[in-house]
């Protein structure tokens, strides 16, 4: 019933709070003039540098590097959104990602079931590929796309449709797996099944109306697949 799985990256493959909380604290400290300025920058992107926590509407959660740059720009006069986007991408590529579950054995097991796998992220493509490479899982995926890969950003369906088209899959037999409404709305718009996971910021009650199933993390996917075929 499922021939392909398309994964969001941040909050899905990687634990969002741990991974991006550490990155945001380091990046804001790098670009801020002082602690007060860092606090204002954090407020602009819905992040508290002291506690390391994100507001539910933070653009870091599901928006693009360009969106994050636009939110920061008013606090950084003299730097353009394009320049800030480049700085964010360069810094994000080095962000220390924390795996939501052990990824290589899970992806290997899913491929052994004959599934085609992809990544569709609102991160930029270059840092996304770097994160996968850092964890030794690049070769597990048949398709990797960021918001700047030419298919548009989520919640638009472009990346989802490109995955299905390039691998000659029926979208109805593909599941989009993600931790945010953007992921699930993109999957639904593409005619895919939608699987929500709780390793991001969004809560179950926010995701459930947009998902065919809500799982604790992607490690539960094999059992879910078995339940479909059973």
């Amino acid at each position: 019933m499922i021939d392909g799985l398309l994964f969001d990256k941040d909050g899905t493959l990687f634990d969002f709070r741990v991974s991006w909380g550490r990155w945001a604290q380091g990046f804001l400290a790098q670009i801020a003039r002082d602690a007060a300025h860092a606090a204002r920058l954090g407020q602009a992107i819905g992040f508290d540098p002291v506690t390391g926590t994100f507001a539910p509407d933070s653009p870091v959660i599901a928006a693009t590097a360009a969106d994050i740059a636009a939110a920061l720009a008013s606090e950084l006069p003299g730097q353009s959104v394009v320049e800030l986007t480049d700085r964010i991408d360069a810094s994000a590529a080095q962000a220390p990602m924390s795996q939501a579950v052990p990824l290589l054995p899970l992806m290997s097991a899913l491929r052994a079931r004959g599934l085609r796998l992809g990544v569709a992220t609102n991160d930029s493509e270059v840092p996304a590929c770097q994160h996968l490479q850092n964890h030794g899982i690049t070769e597990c995926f048949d398709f990797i796309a960021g918001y700047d890969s030419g298919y548009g950003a989520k919640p638009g369906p472009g990346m989802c449709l490109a995955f299905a088209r390039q691998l000659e899959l029926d979208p109805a037999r593909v599941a989009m797996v993600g931790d945010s409404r953007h992921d699930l709305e993109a999957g639904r718009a593409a005619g895919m099944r939608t699987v929500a996971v709780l390793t991001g910021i969004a809560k179950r009650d926010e995701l459930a109306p947009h998902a065919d199933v809500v799982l604790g993390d992607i490690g539960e996917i094999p059992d879910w697949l078995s339940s479909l075929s059973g």
Side-chain angles (χ1 to χ4, degrees):
M1 297 177 68
I2 297 292
D3 299 321
L5 295 169
L6 184 59
F7 294 92
D8 171 55
K9 180 172 68 71
D10 303 316
T12 303
L13 297 178
F14 301 106
D15 183 283
F16 186 87
R17 291 174 181 84
V18 175
S19 301
W20 289 101
R22 291 184 298 192
W23 171 80
Q25 284 178 317
F27 182 67
L28 294 185
Q30 178 186 8
I31 65 174
R33 294 187 298 272
D34 51 38
H37 189 213
R40 293 199 303 275
L41 291 168
Q43 186 175 18
I45 59 170
F47 177 73
D48 185 334
V50 176
T51 63
T53 57
F54 291 91
D57 60 350
S58 168
V60 181
I61 296 172
T64 69
D67 294 324
I68 299 168
L72 291 170
S74 64
E75 289 289 343
L76 294 165
Q79 294 192 55
S80 71
V81 170
V82 172
E83 290 170 334
L84 281 171
T85 300
D86 289 342
R87 292 188 70 178
I88 290 168
D89 281 342
S91 175
Q94 305 306 316
M97 297 287 101
S98 177
Q99 298 184 26
V101 301
L103 292 174
L104 184 57
L106 175 61
M107 297 304 150
S108 299
L110 293 172
R111 288 186 69 89
R113 298 174 78 131
L115 294 166
R116 309 301 296 271
L117 306 180
V119 175
T121 175
N122 272 358
D123 197 357
S124 306
E125 183 178 332
V126 169
C129 289
Q130 185 66 55
H131 295 157
L132 300 179
Q133 180 179 324
N134 289 348
H135 290 267
I137 56 173
T138 304
E139 299 305 317
C140 295
F141 298 101
D142 305 292
F143 174 93
I144 301 169
Y147 85 94
D148 55 352
S149 298
Y151 311 116
K154 296 173 290 185
M159 286 187 276
C160 298
L161 293 172
F163 172 67
R165 183 174 60 251
Q166 290 186 22
L167 297 176
E168 299 182 338
L169 300 175
D170 178 355
R173 295 176 65 91
V174 175
M176 176 68 213
V177 185
D179 68 299
S180 76
R181 283 185 57 178
H182 276 16
D183 303 321
L184 306 178
E185 289 170 356
R188 285 273 172 91
M192 296 178 173
R193 295 197 183 204
T194 51
V195 177
V197 291
L198 301 177
T199 40
I201 302 298
K203 305 297 185 184
R204 180 182 294 270
D205 58 356
E206 179 184 349
L207 299 176
H210 308 279
D212 293 302
V213 63
V214 180
L215 305 177
D217 58 51
I218 57 174
E220 298 177 15
I221 287 177
D223 286 344
W224 174 67
L225 292 171
S226 295
S227 74
L228 297 179
S229 58

